Amino acid sequence: MAVIIDGKEVAREKREQIKARVEELKKQGKSVGLAVIIVGENPASRVYVNNKKKGCLEVGIESFEYALPESTTEEELKALVEKLNNDDRVNGILCQLPLPKHINEDAVINTISPEKDVDAFHPQNVGHIMIGDYTFLPCTPAGIMEMLKFYNISVSGKKCVVIGRSNIVGKPMAMLLLKENGTVEICHSRTENLKNETLSADILVAAVGKTKFVTEDMVKQGAVVIDVGMNRDEDGKLCGDVDFINVEKKASYITPVPGGVGPMTITMLLENTVRAVEK
C-alpha cells in the first residue's frame, strides 16, 4: 500500500514559514497585499477566491477583492489591472480564470505587470521558467515540487511522465522536473500507446481533467503518483484523474483528492505574493 502524501500537512508547515516572513516584512514597514479579480458568478471560481482570501488572512497578507459583473468589458478589466499595477499596497495580482467568453484571457494576463504576476502566467515569467531563472512559479507545479521535497522523494535520474500539456500545469510541471534532473516525457490526448509510456514512469503526474482516467494497469509497481485532477464521480463526490482505490495498492506514494495537491496550490500563491515583496 502506498504512503499517502498529505498536502494539508505540507501546506500547514509551509504557511507557518510564510507567516513568519510576512511578520518580518511588516516589521520593516512593508505592506504585503494580494488583489484578486473575479468576473461573473462562476460557483467554482467563487470557492477558489474565498479559499484564497482565507489563506491570506491565515498568514497576514492583506487581501483586496474585486468582484465584477459578467457584463464587464475587456477594456474595463484591463483598466482595473493597470490601476492595480500602479497601487503600492498591491504586491500580487491574480485574475481568476476562466473569464467570460467575450474577454480575451491572454490580453488580460499580458496587462498584469510581470513583477506582480503571482500566477506566473505572463509570457515574460514563462520565459524565465524555461531558462530556470525565475522569481515566480505556477502555483500547482510549484506545490507538487514542495510535496516531493517534503517526503524526500528524489527526482534526479527518475523517469517522469506528465499526462497533460496545459500552460498552467503540464508544461511548467515538465520544466520543474527537468530542472531537478528528471528525465521527462509529456503525454497528451494524441499520444499513441499511452499505457506503454505511463508504465515506464517512476513519477507519474496526471493532469488531464478526466475522472479516474489513470487506472491500475497504467501504473508501474512502486511508482510515485501525483493526481492534479479535480472532478466529480458518478455519485457527485470529489475525485481526481487517478482511480485512487486501485492505484494505491501499486504505488509507493500517492496524493489523494481532496487533500493532496489542492491545499498546496493556494499556499504557493501566498509564497509568490511574499516573494514579490522580498524581491
Side-chain angles (χ1 to χ4, degrees), residues 2 11 15 24 28 31 62-63 85 110-111 115 122 125 131 133 140 143 145 166 189 191 193 195 210 227 232 242 251:
R15 288 187 192 200
E24 187 55 42
Q28 297 167 23
S31 63
E62 195 173 353
S63 168
N85 282 340
N110 292 353
T111 307
E115 285 81 27
H122 190 286
N125 287 327
I131 60 173
D133 160 35
T140 300
M145 297 310 289
S166 73
S189 57
T191 302
N193 302 319
K195 185 174 155 184
K210 290 183 179 174
D227 191 348
R232 297 268 173 196
V242 176

Side-chain angles (χ1 to χ4, degrees), residues 133-152:
D133 160 35
Y134 45 76
T135 301
F136 304 129
L137 289 172
C139 302
T140 300
I144 291 167
M145 297 310 289
E146 285 286 332
M147 289 196 295
L148 294 175
K149 203 187 301 173
F150 186 91
Y151 280 85
N152 295 313

Side-chain angles (χ1 to χ4, degrees), residues 66-83:
Y66 297 85
L68 308 178
E70 185 92 20
S71 58
T72 301
T73 66
E74 188 179 309
E75 290 315 310
E76 286 168 336
L77 181 52
K78 281 159 70 178
L80 171 60
V81 169
E82 288 289 12
K83 187 178 142 206

Side-chain angles (χ1 to χ4, degrees), residues 196-234:
N196 287 356
E197 308 306 328
T198 59
L199 274 171
S200 68
D202 301 305
I203 298 173
L204 179 63
V205 181
V208 280
K210 290 183 179 174
T211 304
K212 299 177 186 174
F213 179 81
V214 175
T215 49
E216 185 187 359
D217 61 341
M218 293 169 72
V219 177
K220 174 181 170 180
Q221 188 70 42
V224 175
V225 180
I226 306 292
D227 191 348
V228 185
M230 193 63 84
N231 315 304
R232 297 268 173 196
D233 66 13
E234 55 280 2

